[in-house]
Amino acid sequence: MLGSSMRSMTRYVDEDLHGAEFRECDLTGARLIGVVMQDAVIDGLVTNLVVNGVEVAEHVEAELDRRHPVRVLIRSEDPADLREASRRLHADWAATIERIRRTPGIERRTVNDEWSAAQTMRHLVFVHDSWFRRCCLGSTQSFTPMGIGTTVEPYREAHGLNLSLDPGLDEIVSVRDAQAAEFEAWLDDTTPARLAARAPVPDDDVWPPYARGRSVRRCLGTVLNETFEHHRFCVRDLDLIEAQDTE
């Protein structure tokens, strides 16, 4: 992974990177000078991005907020807004699950080396267990076995995760529905003071170790953001799969 220092950056001069793919890479501080960039796709945590002298990240964020108003609610400090964000996200996922049910088997199909819809939902099982139960509730219970977590060792298959499992759609949805109910019940009773408090992350070597010292609100934001972003990815890939099937 590249560091933020310019001296540590690899320089590519007069290279043909046509069709190159950079996945899970840290490009902080990268400089692309005199490049040809047509039909390119950038998807990730993008801030302070300058294109031809114009800072474009703010424009991108504003457009994403226009397309997805729930993003504004997710950033709010008001518990009522967070409750509404959770409700909308759950409704969006419910609609997408119904879409999946109309094409049996599509939940296991992948495109462009991304997760399938089933794998995406299993990752959200893990997000709930780690970022909500551990970080917001202080739980030390093992993770739900079907969850799919980080690829970082030794956390990849630890604390109850079982990568050999292959649960069906109904089983995954049942777990996610129960988690959503738990999450929304907690939000119904939460207060600004509780959100501002330091997250009660257990003092052990379980994911996410870097959450210690963060507020409950920040950890809660991770749950909401992950739920939103992975739904966006899931819908994107379902659209691609269905488009391929009609060709």
Side-chain angles (χ1 to χ4, degrees), residues 1-109:
M1 181 176 291
L2 299 178
S4 58
S5 169
M6 290 295 294
R7 295 181 184 220
S8 68
M9 293 178 65
T10 301
R11 297 188 72 225
Y12 299 94
V13 181
D14 292 330
E15 296 280 356
D16 183 359
L17 299 179
H18 183 87
E21 179 174 316
F22 300 88
R23 184 179 292 270
E24 303 298 332
C25 295
D26 184 352
L27 299 178
T28 301
R31 301 171 70 240
L32 288 74
I33 310 299
V35 301
V36 176
M37 185 177 288
Q38 299 174 330
D39 303 321
V41 175
I42 301 175
D43 199 336
L45 177 60
V46 181
T47 60
N48 303 323
L49 176 64
V50 178
V51 178
N52 292 337
V54 179
E55 208 293 323
V56 301
E58 290 185 2
H59 298 287
V60 173
E61 289 299 302
E63 175 61 15
L64 286 172
D65 286 347
R66 187 190 68 81
R67 296 184 183 186
H68 309 286
V70 72
R71 284 167 42 96
V72 179
L73 296 173
I74 290 173
R75 296 197 299 269
S76 175
E77 300 296 327
D78 186 340
D81 287 342
L82 299 176
R83 286 192 287 270
E84 177 62 14
S86 179
R87 186 194 66 78
R88 293 189 189 184
L89 292 172
H90 184 64
D92 287 344
W93 266 108
T96 297
I97 290 167
E98 289 307 307
R99 173 185 178 181
I100 290 170
R101 292 190 188 282
R102 291 195 292 270
T103 309
I106 197 173
E107 72 274 10
R108 297 185 179 278
R109 295 175 60 182

Side-chain angles (χ1 to χ4, degrees), residues 203-216:
D203 187 18
D204 52 24
D205 187 23
V206 177
W207 189 266
Y210 54 88
R212 294 188 184 90
R214 298 188 180 189
S215 68
V216 171

Side-chain angles (χ1 to χ4, degrees), residues 110-179:
T110 63
V111 62
N112 295 331
D113 296 322
E114 302 287 353
W115 275 335
S116 67
Q119 289 171 319
T120 297
M121 287 185 281
R122 289 175 62 188
H123 176 64
L124 292 178
V125 170
F126 169 79
V127 169
H128 181 90
D129 285 348
S130 55
W131 282 100
F132 176 65
R133 285 181 175 162
R134 278 184 56 78
C135 296
C136 298
L137 305 184
S139 173
T140 58
Q141 292 183 354
S142 297
F143 294 150
T144 306
M146 72 165 65
I148 295 179
T150 176
T151 59
V152 177
E153 298 293 355
Y155 305 103
R156 180 171 174 268
E157 192 170 10
H159 203 59
L161 296 178
N162 186 345
L163 299 184
S164 69
L165 297 180
D166 187 24
L169 179 62
D170 287 342
E171 186 178 358
I172 300 170
V173 171
S174 177
V175 170
R176 286 295 296 141
D177 283 347
Q179 290 182 332

